[in-house]
Amino acid sequence: MAGLSAEDVEHLGEAGFVVGSGFLGEGLARRARVAAQEHLALGLLKRAGVRRGGDHQLDAAVRGDSIQWLDDQVTGPLLEVWRRFEGLRLQLNELAFLGLRRTELQLAHYPATGAGYQRHRDAFPGDDNRRVTAIVYLNPDWQPAHGGQLALFVDPPRAVAPRLDAFVLFRSELIEHQVEPSHADRFAITAWYSAR
Ligand code: OGA
Ligand code: MN
């Protein structure tokens, strides 16, 4: 999946999601993993919060990851990753006429302590905020026993193993999803695309 195919766009429109691989290519995915690990070691990732009412709170039972927002000021392989996700936004606009204007890009790490993220949506219907979520995974030695699958609550249900360069794209307001408890370090980079 170097780029989106017509089938991908159709599936995104009809089923609300697409699962693929090869978005970054193995070489870049491996280099991005190394960079992600360095960012973690440098303390650049912070515990992610959950919104409750208007508040931001930490609740490991809901969400156990640490995150860093990435922008065009990042360097090295992560800058190339940022460019790829920007390219994907333009492609979505060309092929699916989504009029996506903004990208938020986030590096996330789930520690091996069973960290996960409970069932949720990334946006709510009527919200004209996040329209499409795109995720690439950076875990070269992933084993089934490591858990950490992305469960998509679609019919039939889908579970995506967070293997190196596995890729998921879904409509943010439509698809409920959950990160199963992770028993190995789990890195992902997520883009949210908004129309404003
Ligand atoms: C999120 C999320 C899924 C994943 O950060 O909102 O659902 O597989 N992440 O990392
Ligand atoms: Mn989510």
Side-chain angles (χ1 to χ4, degrees):
M1 183 196 233
L4 286 180
S5 67
E7 292 75 45
D8 291 334
V9 172
E10 205 175 296
H11 205 260
L12 182 64
E14 279 166 15
F17 73 97
V18 177
V19 177
S21 64
F23 174 61
L24 299 179
E26 190 185 335
L28 177 56
R30 284 187 185 277
R31 282 180 282 122
R33 165 62 184 235
V34 171
Q37 201 106 46
E38 286 168 2
H39 281 214
L40 181 68
L42 288 168
L44 299 176
L45 283 70
K46 309 291 178 206
R47 279 294 319 281
V50 288
R51 252 183 299 173
R52 207 172 273 134
D55 287 0
H56 217 62
Q57 301 180 6
L58 295 184
D59 186 346
V62 175
R63 176 169 194 188
D65 58 334
S66 293
I67 61 163
Q68 181 190 9
W69 294 103
L70 303 176
D71 57 24
D72 60 356
Q73 301 302 302
V74 287
T75 55
L78 294 177
L79 179 60
E80 183 55 29
V81 171
W82 182 86
R83 290 195 181 116
R84 296 289 179 97
F85 275 106
E86 275 300 271
L88 179 63
R89 181 175 67 81
L90 300 178
Q91 244 194 338
L92 284 164
N93 287 341
E94 258 168 50
L95 298 173
F97 311 106
L98 286 170
L100 304 171
R101 295 168 56 190
R102 194 159 83 99
T103 306
E104 301 166 86
L105 195 67
Q106 177 180 281
L107 169 64
H109 168 252
Y110 291 77
T113 51
Y117 191 160
Q118 277 181 10
R119 182 171 178 162
H120 67 280
R121 281 180 210 173
D122 289 346
F124 292 92
D127 226 1
D128 63 340
N129 220 347
R130 293 169 169 178
R131 307 212 38 208
V132 176
T133 303
I135 311 175
V136 68
Y137 297 101
L138 303 177
N139 308 296
D141 303 313
W142 203 262
Q143 306 294 323
H146 294 159
Q149 296 89 352
L150 174 69
L152 299 176
F153 295 89
V154 294
D155 189 16
R158 289 284 302 259
V160 181
R163 288 208 185 83
L164 189 75
D165 215 12
F167 181 75
V168 188
L169 191 62
F170 57 85
R171 290 175 54 194
S172 311
E173 64 175 25
L174 211 61
I175 303 294
E176 289 189 73
H177 55 283
Q178 160 170 315
V179 178
E180 303 296 354
S182 189
H183 307 294
D185 280 312
R186 177 192 192 272
F187 286 93
I189 297 179
T190 301
W192 289 280
Y193 298 116
S194 313
R196 61 176 176 91

